[in-house]
Amino acid sequence: MGLTETGAVVSVVAALAILAGLAGVVVPGLPALPLCWGGVLVWALFGDAGAGRWLVLAAATLVAVAGTVVKYAWPGRNLKRAGVPTTSLLAGAVLGLVGFFVIPVVGLVIGFVGGIFVMERLRLGDTRLAWPATKQAVAAAGLSMLVEFLSGMVIGALWVAGLVMA
C-alpha cells in the first residue's frame, strides 16, 4: 500500500490529528479533544473503512462530548467544595496567559499558580491559608488534563480499532 492511495493518506492525516490532539493536552493553543475527534471525522468522511467507520465516529463523538463535560465539571466541583472562588481562578488564568508570553510554555504554569496564590493571599490575608487553595487549584488543573488526555486516548483507541476492523 503506497502513500498515493487515498485511504492511506487519509489514515496518516487522521493519525497526525489525533497525535496533535494528544499533544494539545499539554501544549497551550492546541484544542486537544477537537483535534482528536476531527481526525476521526476526516477518516470517517474520506477513508475507505466501510460502514463501521460511522460507528467509530459516533463513539468518538460521545467520548469527546463526555470528556469535555467531565473535564470542566469534575475539577470545578472539587474547587467549589474546597472553597476556591472564581475570582482566584480567573486571576490564575489571566496571569497564566501573560506568563505564557513572557516565559514561553513554562510561564503558563508559573503564572497560573502565581495568580491563584496572590489572589488567595489577598483574600485570606495569610500565606499559610493561601497555599491549600493554590494546591487545590493545581490539582484540579491536573485532573482536568488527565481527563482530557484519557478521553483523547480512548478516541485514538476507537480509531485504531476501526482501522483494524476495516
Side-chain angles (χ1 to χ4, degrees):
M1 172 168 29
L3 277 182
T4 57
E5 275 187 49
T6 305
V9 171
V10 168
S11 293
V12 168
V13 168
L16 291 174
I18 292 169
L19 289 173
L22 291 174
V25 172
V26 293
V27 176
L30 289 178
L33 289 180
L35 275 172
C36 291
W37 179 81
V40 176
L41 176 66
V42 166
W43 173 76
L45 290 175
F46 303 110
D48 52 4
R53 64 188 177 189
W54 302 114
L55 291 174
V56 172
L57 178 62
T61 301
L62 289 174
V63 170
V65 169
T68 301
V69 169
V70 171
K71 167 186 152 178
Y72 292 111
W74 189 9
R77 187 186 71 193
N78 290 349
L79 287 172
K80 291 291 181 200
R81 238 190 272 146
V84 179
T86 306
T87 54
S88 294
L89 296 175
L90 289 174
V94 168
L95 283 178
L97 187 63
V98 170
F100 176 72
F101 291 107
V102 174
I103 310 168
V105 182
V106 180
L108 178 69
V109 175
I110 293 169
F112 177 72
V113 172
I116 291 173
F117 177 75
V118 167
M119 283 301 291
E120 287 299 290
R121 172 71 173 86
L122 291 172
R123 182 176 75 90
L124 299 171
D126 187 5
T127 302
R128 289 174 290 157
L129 297 175
W131 273 117
T134 304
K135 289 179 192 175
Q136 281 289 334
V138 171
L143 178 61
S144 177
M145 289 173 68
L146 179 64
V147 167
E148 189 172 32
F149 183 74
L150 290 176
S151 298
M153 289 294 289
V154 170
I155 290 170
L158 287 168
W159 174 72
V160 168
L163 279 177
V164 171
M165 299 297 178

